[in-house]
Amino acid sequence: MIIGIGSDITDARRVAEVLERHGERFLERVFTPIERAKSERRARRVESYAKRFAAKEACAKALGTGLAQGVFWKDMGVVNLPSGRPTMELTGGALARLEAITPPGFDARIDLTITDDGPIAQAFVIISAVAKQGA
């Protein structure tokens, strides 16, 4: 069953402006070390950051809190499963919120799709409750 849906569109030009103005402070505040390493390896570095920014916004919406109630930027990180499928790894307040909205006897699954075209990055997050194996 779906327990949360979120989407976001981010303009990479806006991310470029923030990077120009705040640089390292912005990166340190918003992105996890894994996200930073992946984005810094990309030829289109700003677009990579924009996709991850959109994914964080979409995830916060799917959690039902936005960036409030103890949910912070770095509590949500874009990671890839061994298959290559992107998902979100949650820690801190985001993980606590995920646990609170996941019904007993279920595990949470976060599906993420991210894309960009020109300066626009887009992300969709669906959080589902999946019955625990053997439950």
Side-chain angles (χ1 to χ4, degrees):
M1 83 182 80
I2 294 174
I3 56 178
I5 299 175
S7 68
D8 190 70
I9 297 173
T10 298
D11 190 325
R13 293 169 294 198
R14 191 172 132 239
V15 172
E17 290 171 8
V18 174
L19 278 169
E20 181 71 27
R21 199 173 28 225
H22 300 287
E24 186 63 28
R25 197 172 97 194
F26 170 68
L27 294 175
E28 180 61 32
R29 179 173 177 240
V30 175
F31 299 100
T32 67
I34 290 170
E35 291 173 310
R36 290 184 65 180
K38 189 156 198 154
S39 292
E40 290 298 327
R41 288 193 308 264
R42 300 284 187 218
R44 295 176 42 197
R45 165 181 178 265
V46 172
E47 289 84 353
S48 181
Y49 279 121
K51 287 192 291 189
R52 283 154 182 73
F53 189 90
K56 290 168 182 283
E57 287 275 12
C59 186
K61 292 170 185 173
L63 290 169
T65 59
L67 290 155
Q69 301 178 37
V71 176
F72 299 100
W73 291 110
K74 285 176 63 173
D75 290 346
M76 302 169 285
V78 176
V79 296
N80 293 88
L81 298 175
S83 66
R85 179 174 72 87
T87 189
M88 300 296 294
E89 184 175 276
L90 306 185
T91 60
L95 179 59
R97 174 64 181 165
L98 179 65
E99 291 169 347
I101 65 173
T102 304
F106 289 82
D107 288 321
R109 174 184 163 133
I110 301 175
D111 289 296
L112 165 66
T113 183
I114 52 178
T115 191
D116 67 291
D117 186 13
I120 303 301
Q122 184 176 35
F124 289 96
V125 170
I126 299 174
I127 302 174
S128 303
V130 180
K132 288 186 179 187
Q133 295 295 335

